[in-house]
Amino acid sequence: MATIRTENERDLVVEADLSDLQSFIDEAMRDLDHYKDEIAVIYDKMPKFDYIYFCFYAYSTYRLLEATFDFDTSHVGHIRVVAPDEFFYAFYGMIATLHAQISVDETRKPDVS
């Protein structure tokens, strides 16, 4: 499980590795509708930051991190995820898969108009 620590009074550091990805998948699948907007933003923005430099806090895309690792961001100004590069690429792969699933689900919803 990831290690969460405060670096100073405004910075939270999440130290994660590949073994933490299953927790992300489990949390996202628990309430995919709740995370769909966040997943869409990560899917769109993360490649523009070469994946490993993506800032979850800047785009308000930390709710999935927060729920997965059970921490509270209300008293911090910045979140830094420290992980091997492979983690970020695998995380993005997971996000891309979830984004595709959401897109399929959205196209299957009946028109209620």
Side-chain angles (χ1 to χ4, degrees):
M1 187 66 160
T3 302
I4 313 301
R5 63 183 169 82
T6 52
E7 191 163 77
N8 56 52
E9 56 199 37
R10 299 284 297 152
D11 294 329
L12 188 70
V13 177
V14 177
E15 296 175 343
D17 62 33
L18 288 171
S19 67
D20 293 308
L21 290 174
Q22 185 63 50
S23 298
F24 279 107
I25 293 167
D26 294 344
E27 178 59 28
M29 293 304 295
R30 185 185 62 74
D31 193 353
L32 195 54
D33 194 55
H34 176 72
Y35 296 113
K36 71 180 181 180
D37 293 335
E38 185 171 330
I39 288 167
V41 171
I42 295 169
Y43 177 77
D44 180 53
K45 302 290 185 187
M46 199 170 187
K48 296 172 183 167
F49 292 88
D50 294 327
Y51 307 97
I52 60 175
Y53 303 110
F54 180 73
C55 182
F56 293 91
Y57 204 76
Y59 290 103
S60 296
T61 56
Y62 51 83
R63 287 170 190 82
L64 182 55
L65 283 170
E66 198 174 44
T68 299
F69 297 130
D70 192 30
F71 63 84
D72 181 8
T73 60
S74 62
H75 300 293
V76 298
H78 183 258
I79 299 167
R80 184 165 42 101
V81 178
V82 176
D85 290 355
E86 296 82 8
F87 172 88
F88 294 101
Y89 298 122
F91 177 79
Y92 184 76
M94 177 196 78
I95 290 296
T97 301
L98 293 170
H99 187 265
Q101 181 62 47
I102 292 165
S103 297
V104 167
D105 292 349
E106 292 291 316
T107 59
R108 290 186 181 165
K109 283 186 180 178
D111 185 14
V112 291
S113 16

